[in-house]
Amino acid sequence: MILWLCLLLEMVLVSTAARGPPRVSERVAHRQSVRLGRTMKLPCPVEGDPPPLIMWTKDGRNIHSGWTRFKVLQHGLRIKDVETDDAGTYICKATNGFGSVNINYTLIIIDDSGARGGAGAANGDSEHGPELAGKLVRPRFTQPAKMRKRVIARPVGSSVRLKCTASGNPRPDIVWLKDNRPLVDEEGGAGGDGKKKKWTLSLKNLTPEHSGKYTCHVSNRAGEINATYKVEVIQRTNSKPILTGTHPVNTTVDYGGTTSFQCKVRSDVKPVIQWLKRVEPGDENKFNSTIEVGDHRFVVLPTGEVWSRPDGSYLNKLLITRAKEEDAGMYICLGANTMGYSFRSAYLTVLPGQRHQTLTDDKGILH
Ligand SMILES: *[C@@H]1O[C@H](CO)[C@@H](O)[C@H](O)[C@H]1NC(C)=O
Ligand SMILES: *[C@@H]1O[C@H](CO)[C@@H](O)[C@H](O)[C@H]1NC(C)=O
Ligand SMILES: *[C@@H]1O[C@H](CO)[C@@H](O)[C@H](O)[C@H]1NC(C)=O
Ligand SMILES: *[C@@H]1O[C@H](CO)[C@@H](O)[C@H](O)[C@H]1NC(C)=O
């Protein structure tokens, strides 16, 4: 009996002693390489008590179920049909209540499809060598290490250089596209003077309009390759939005009629404007998803475009067509930016008017 108690006590002590942040249980190679088209697995050997939650990121972005070729398994990340763009920095983050641990990887993609066609010549760096007449070498990127970061976030006013240094025989040409449309020269500063500049797209004095997908197409007679960068220009602000003017205002509409609420938001960066409607008592189960604010539940309504006005404010309208009884109630306009949010509410009253509804339905006008 005593022995049994001691054993139990020891087990409890051992197991409580083991509780703590996750730890890496095996050595891993932080640089990994894989050939194009293959399937590979990046291991994440971690243990912990409580068992940690595992999350993977690639170049800072969460890998989720929308990434169809990727699968987060119990002890690693599987990548199927590896593509050139899969190159990058992968981090496995294991977290439990005590803390977290990261395992990071640099993944290199080996593309030897060019080498086969190039009959040996592709092994040398033909950018610096003489062009061998007759020997076609399809283009390849010669500095993949400088192209790993494909999603680039930069503050307004800063600059960014996108690189697509490549070689091939004959010497390839490069074309840059923004959101799939050819870039006008003056927009980017691509091409132009000097060998080095040819492969680099410099974007200076960034504005939000610079945000987008930039693709370089590098081609010669032997083939074509491309790479895409996503640039996000982030606006900074020191103040949360303010709702200005009198809107939204209490509004009354006939049954079946059309009306709208307006919301005017002042903000030095483009705000997110969102309309919410308070869920009336008894209607809680009518909606798939509601959010709770204070004592009330709200549904998030689909929002139309946010219009920018010359006076620096932003306007959004919520249109209510063919008003029904259940449209009546409290509406909230919420203006938000990175510094915070402000909101205002107004009520919609729907006047009963069965005749009006019948009329419009018969003629089918109000749609
Ligand atoms: C990757 O891991 C090493 C060693 O743990 C660390 O020095 C480095 O900062 C990590 N890099 C990133 C991007 O987390
Ligand atoms: C870019 O290259 C990939 C192969 O890496 C190819 O499948 C794709 O069609 C190319 N995109 C364009 C727009 O040429
Ligand atoms: C708007 O309607 C609500 C509810 O009927 C009322 O409490 C509020 O005072 C009204 N606001 C204005 C400005 O009339
Ligand atoms: C709730 O979800 C179902 C199925 O996903 C969908 O058909 C329905 O339109 C949704 N209802 C609302 C009010 O969003």
Side-chain angles (χ1 to χ4, degrees), residues 266-281:
R266 193 172 289 280
S267 168
D268 53 3
V269 298
K270 189 174 182 178
V272 172
I273 300 181
Q274 188 67 63
W275 290 91
L276 310 175
K277 182 176 188 297
R278 191 171 75 188
V279 177
E280 300 302 322

Side-chain angles (χ1 to χ4, degrees), residues 7-323:
L7 210 64
L8 190 73
L9 195 66
E10 194 183 35
M11 271 169 62
V12 168
L13 285 176
V14 166
S15 67
T16 47
R19 286 172 78 84
R23 57 202 172 274
V24 180
S25 57
E26 277 167 42
R27 278 174 148 278
V28 296
H30 292 284
R31 278 174 75 86
Q32 300 251 349
S33 57
V34 59
R35 285 186 203 288
L36 261 183
R38 297 283 173 86
T39 292
M40 77 155 331
K41 196 175 148 190
L42 294 174
C44 188
V46 288
E47 45 192 40
D49 184 14
L53 204 72
I54 308 289
M55 212 183 73
W56 282 88
T57 60
K58 172 176 189 277
D59 297 328
R61 298 167 70 205
N62 284 343
I63 296 175
H64 54 74
S65 54
W67 299 39
T68 50
R69 291 181 301 102
F70 293 69
K71 188 155 177 97
V72 178
L73 306 169
Q74 181 118 45
H75 292 113
L77 175 73
R78 190 179 68 203
I79 312 173
K80 282 200 302 195
D81 306 328
V82 166
E83 294 179 0
T84 322
D85 283 355
D86 295 342
T89 302
Y90 290 79
I91 298 178
C92 167
K93 189 182 176 83
T95 310
N96 68 12
F98 291 94
S100 67
V101 66
N102 285 359
I103 300 180
N104 54 26
Y105 291 102
T106 300
L107 183 62
I108 297 156
I109 311 299
I110 301 167
D111 178 2
D112 48 12
S113 52
R116 248 178 260 133
N123 290 332
D125 190 350
S126 51
E127 190 189 7
H128 304 298
E131 288 195 358
L132 306 169
K135 272 224 162 117
L136 289 181
V137 179
R138 68 183 289 249
R140 67 183 183 99
F141 294 119
T142 52
Q143 299 178 351
K146 291 187 177 163
M147 296 172 66
R148 258 179 215 139
K149 202 156 182 252
R150 293 295 176 89
V151 180
I152 300 167
R154 286 274 194 285
V156 166
S158 67
S159 57
V160 66
R161 287 156 65 84
L162 308 176
K163 288 191 193 300
C164 279
T165 314
S167 69
N169 192 27
R171 195 171 143 85
D173 287 319
I174 184 166
V175 176
W176 284 92
L177 309 180
K178 179 179 183 226
D179 297 324
N180 299 322
R181 297 168 69 167
L183 258 188
V184 194
D185 255 356
E186 56 195 0
E187 237 179 289
D193 38 339
K195 251 188 185 175
K196 227 191 195 135
K197 263 197 178 158
K198 174 175 174 176
W199 306 115
T200 304
L201 178 69
S202 294
L203 301 172
K204 293 190 182 118
N205 196 10
L206 289 171
T207 63
E209 288 71 39
H210 283 106
S211 297
K213 251 172 45 192
Y214 291 82
T215 306
C216 66
H217 275 265
V218 177
S219 61
N220 64 12
R221 270 187 288 138
E224 190 234 47
I225 50 174
N226 64 63
T228 299
Y229 291 92
K230 187 156 183 260
V231 174
E232 283 166 20
V233 181
I234 299 163
Q235 293 176 284
R236 290 215 176 121
T237 174
N238 295 317
S239 51
K240 66 178 196 174
I242 302 164
L243 269 57
T244 64
T246 53
H247 293 287
V249 292
N250 284 352
T251 300
T252 299
V253 63
D254 285 333
Y255 187 98
T258 294
T259 189
S260 66
F261 281 120
Q262 280 188 34
C263 191
K264 199 170 159 188
V265 178
R266 193 172 289 280
S267 168
D268 53 3
V269 298
K270 189 174 182 178
V272 172
I273 300 181
Q274 188 67 63
W275 290 91
L276 310 175
K277 182 176 188 297
R278 191 171 75 188
V279 177
E280 300 302 322
D283 284 351
E284 286 87 352
N285 297 326
K286 274 194 187 168
F287 304 98
N288 290 340
S289 71
T290 59
I291 58 169
E292 204 167 334
V293 184
D295 289 341
H296 295 287
R297 302 207 131 264
F298 291 86
V299 263
V300 178
L301 303 173
T303 307
E305 198 164 340
V306 174
W307 300 97
S308 157
R309 290 162 49 96
D311 64 359
S313 65
Y314 297 84
L315 194 69
N316 184 262
K317 265 191 185 183
L318 177 72
L319 194 64
I320 294 148
T321 55
R322 295 206 275 173

